[in-house]
Amino acid sequence: AQRVTQPEKLLSVFKGAPVELKCNYSYSGSPELFWYVQYSRQRLQLLLRHISRESIKGFTADLNKGETSFHLKKPFAQEEDSAMYYCALRPTSGTYKYIFGTGTRLKVLA
Amino acid sequence: ETGVTQSPTHLIKTRGQQVTLRCSSQSGHNTVSWYQQALGQGPQFIFQYYREEENGRGNFPPRFSGLQFPNYSSELNVNALELDDSALYLCASSLAGESSYGYTFGSGTRLTVV
């Protein structure tokens, strides 16, 4: 079954501390993986995609096919990083849908 | 460049009624996808439209149907509403062949079925 698991509903860290939001996936092929973010009162927006290997707002995510993970990391959390984060998988064969995890709410405390 | 706009923003309907939700895609995008997001859950894929035809469907019953128009805008119709249909309905647009770039989402329509 194709599935995305985000084990933490809520993650609280202090400003300046490292952040890691966990994402594990279940898919037999080679997926495309994404992180989406939703700030308070804003729409869901793309944060980063694994194929671009980019760093956005200090966040990075590495696809680990052996562990089927795509964890989102930032070395020093900022208060403005507080938001809801969703990991999403796009199967690369036969379908156009994205499969989203249930999301992790990140709270960065002052 | 305009983003994805959805209307209405909020809606209350009675069980058994029918509802139509509307979406205008981002300028330059020709593909529209609809998602249902129940409280505390991630978005669930309903279907996608490209060139005015359904181009993929999730695990939703036939009473969920849609349309795409020549200007790439789209409608989601839900017949015989059930209480469990209460959710945020998200529209997302993209460019066919460019799905690796991700979606642009609208703000959603909050549907409450009573």
Side-chain angles (χ1 to χ4, degrees), chain A residues 76-91:
Chain A
F76 307 104
Q78 310 281 331
E79 287 182 75
E80 55 266 30
D81 296 329
S82 295
M84 195 74 183
Y85 291 81
Y86 293 94
C87 181
L89 174 156
R90 191 183 84 86

Side-chain angles (χ1 to χ4, degrees), chain A residues 1-106:
Chain A
Q2 300 165 353
R3 184 167 42 241
V4 173
T5 302
Q6 293 181 252
E8 303 139 329
K9 280 193 176 297
L10 174 65
L11 182 65
S12 296
V13 300
F14 285 101
K15 178 182 170 182
V19 173
E20 182 178 68
L21 300 170
K22 291 184 166 41
C23 172
N24 288 91
Y25 67 89
S26 172
Y27 179 63
S28 57
S30 292
E32 292 180 2
L33 286 147
F34 304 81
W35 278 98
Y36 281 81
V37 60
Q38 187 168 30
Y39 301 103
S40 179
R41 292 184 170 68
Q42 294 187 27
R43 61 188 65 191
L44 201 56
Q45 57 186 283
L46 178 66
L47 179 62
L48 56 78
R49 1 170 234 141
H50 91 270
I51 60 171
S52 60
R53 303 184 67 80
E54 57 205 340
S55 173
I56 304 291
K57 299 185 180 183
F59 284 98
T60 59
D62 289 320
L63 177 60
N64 185 323
K65 292 185 178 179
E67 295 182 0
T68 59
S69 68
F70 187 56
H71 303 328
L72 183 68
K73 299 177 183 179
K74 184 170 183 176
F76 307 104
Q78 310 281 331
E79 287 182 75
E80 55 266 30
D81 296 329
S82 295
M84 195 74 183
Y85 291 81
Y86 293 94
C87 181
L89 174 156
R90 191 183 84 86
T92 50
S93 63
T95 180
Y96 302 92
K97 66 181 178 183
Y98 282 63
I99 300 165
F100 285 83
T102 51
T104 298
R105 180 166 299 283
L106 174 65

